[in-house]
Amino acid sequence: MKRISILSSLLAAAVFAGGASAQQYPTRNVSMVVPYAAGGPTDTVSRVLGQAMGKPLGQTVIVENRPSAGGILGPEYVKNAKPDGYTILIHHVGMATTPTLYRQLRYNPLTDFEYIGLINEVPMTIVAKPTMPAKDLKEFLAYIKANKDKVTYANAGIGAASHLCGMLFMSAIGTDFLTVPYKGTGPAMNDLLGGQVDFMCDQTTSTTSQIKGGKIKVYGITSTKRVSSLPDVPTLQEQGLKGAEVGIWHGLYAPKGTPKEIVDRLAQSLRVALADAKVIEQFAELGTTPVAEDRATPEALAALLKAEIDKWSPVIKKAGVYAD
Ligand code: ASP
């Protein structure tokens, strides 16, 4: 009897402590883990978003880059972090492709995380080094087919959006080429600008200013409609290339077991950030769209993640690309 009452008061104290800390959350900086190198598209989105989420949270959101090829170390790190809301993950469609691409993935996107919400949708662009001679997609395809043994394609490793796009592009044009993996398309872009690699497919968040500045060549957009920030760039589809349509989305995750009050607070701050005029303007300049308010929710992210796993899994299996 006595033991039971001590146990129950201990339990009550624990519940109270958990509840009290969840109510006070956050009392210090929140770390947003980016699974890719600085300067790339996921990093860019995290910096705009992190700054805006800091206001409703009343604390600074610090961007923490934990880069690796394929972006697989960031989710593992966040999975193993304390589930207290101070370490969260930003990630893209890679959360839906890596479970099929990797035979031994050390996290399960469907069971190891709490979902905070969706962030944005963003198309990709096929871009090439500044000295690429082709002036349009037709000439570019002829060039890479004629030089397929030496042409190099940069990506951020197996599981990256740039990998997915490259895989679809290769299959759409029926030509394989040598891929060069980086820990993010930020460093890949530096090599593209320097001409060390020939081409890549990257999100407009990363390529828009380089395209506008005439620093790189662009041969098409992977969305079915043109992007208002790059109105002169045609889609791949309208130039007759089908099968390489791909749209990237980002979501926010917390380690499994993060208290619901904290997840809700983060989701609420995400919605406030996405409605911030500065975020809307910065996203528009980068060719990306924040999701509607009702999609910046745990339920919407959970549903899209599941749907995207189901969508990409057969495509990847058909392509037969796997990593260990
Ligand atoms: N998200 C990019 C990709 O998947 C990489 C990056 O953010 O640097 O290609």
Side-chain angles (χ1 to χ4, degrees), residues 53-92:
M53 280 180 70
K55 288 181 230 160
L57 283 173
Q59 292 289 342
T60 305
V61 176
I62 295 172
V63 172
E64 190 182 335
N65 296 86
R66 293 204 162 253
S68 67
I72 55 167
L73 293 186
E76 186 186 344
Y77 175 79
V78 174
K79 169 195 162 179
N80 294 324
K82 219 170 155 194
D84 57 5
Y86 291 101
T87 308
I88 58 174
L89 171 74
I90 178 170
H91 207 333
H92 58 33

Side-chain angles (χ1 to χ4, degrees), residues 36-37 40-43 92 124 155-156 159-163 183-187 201-203 250:
Y36 292 104
T42 307
D43 180 72
H92 58 33
M124 303 190 83
N155 69 20
S162 45
H163 165 259
K183 288 184 177 175
T185 48
C201 176
D202 201 13
Q203 298 161 57
H250 282 92

Side-chain angles (χ1 to χ4, degrees), residues 25-150:
Y25 171 86
T27 55
R28 56 187 168 86
N29 295 342
V30 173
S31 180
M32 189 184 286
V33 173
V34 173
Y36 292 104
T42 307
D43 180 72
T44 301
V45 170
S46 75
R47 284 171 202 276
V48 174
L49 182 70
Q51 209 186 13
M53 280 180 70
K55 288 181 230 160
L57 283 173
Q59 292 289 342
T60 305
V61 176
I62 295 172
V63 172
E64 190 182 335
N65 296 86
R66 293 204 162 253
S68 67
I72 55 167
L73 293 186
E76 186 186 344
Y77 175 79
V78 174
K79 169 195 162 179
N80 294 324
K82 219 170 155 194
D84 57 5
Y86 291 101
T87 308
I88 58 174
L89 171 74
I90 178 170
H91 207 333
H92 58 33
V93 64
M95 282 294 259
T97 55
T98 46
T100 315
L101 285 167
Y102 283 79
R103 289 199 173 96
Q104 294 173 17
L105 199 61
R106 290 199 292 259
Y107 58 90
N108 183 340
L110 293 173
T111 53
D112 289 335
F113 300 92
E114 304 293 342
Y115 306 120
I116 299 169
L118 285 163
I119 305 166
N120 67 325
E121 273 157 359
V122 53
M124 303 190 83
T125 43
I126 300 283
V127 292
K129 64 183 180 184
T131 53
M132 180 60 69
K135 68 172 182 330
D136 53 28
L137 181 68
K138 201 166 155 237
E139 284 188 18
F140 180 60
L141 294 184
Y143 178 90
I144 52 178
K145 284 183 184 190
N147 295 281
K148 65 174 189 299
D149 295 334
K150 54 177 201 262

Side-chain angles (χ1 to χ4, degrees), residues 117-249:
L118 285 163
I119 305 166
N120 67 325
E121 273 157 359
V122 53
M124 303 190 83
T125 43
I126 300 283
V127 292
K129 64 183 180 184
T131 53
M132 180 60 69
K135 68 172 182 330
D136 53 28
L137 181 68
K138 201 166 155 237
E139 284 188 18
F140 180 60
L141 294 184
Y143 178 90
I144 52 178
K145 284 183 184 190
N147 295 281
K148 65 174 189 299
D149 295 334
K150 54 177 201 262
V151 106
T152 48
Y153 175 81
N155 69 20
I158 296 182
S162 45
H163 165 259
L164 180 66
C165 180
M167 195 178 83
L168 297 174
F169 187 69
M170 275 190 212
S171 131
I173 68 171
T175 308
D176 282 353
F177 25 72
L178 189 70
T179 55
V180 185
Y182 291 79
K183 288 184 177 175
T185 48
M189 177 62 84
N190 289 340
D191 278 7
L192 190 77
L193 288 163
Q196 283 94 327
V197 283
D198 293 317
F199 78 111
M200 70 172 171
C201 176
D202 201 13
Q203 298 161 57
T204 56
T205 25
S206 213
T207 59
T208 301
S209 66
Q210 309 290 8
I211 293 170
K212 283 187 163 167
K215 304 253 171 57
I216 50 177
K217 295 276 169 69
V218 59
Y219 296 113
I221 295 206
T222 65
S223 46
T224 48
K225 288 197 191 101
R226 290 193 186 201
V227 184
S228 57
S229 58
L230 293 167
D232 301 332
V233 181
T235 66
L236 293 175
Q237 262 194 4
E238 69 183 87
Q239 299 178 86
L241 186 68
K242 305 247 157 52
E245 300 78 29
V246 56
I248 304 307
W249 49 274

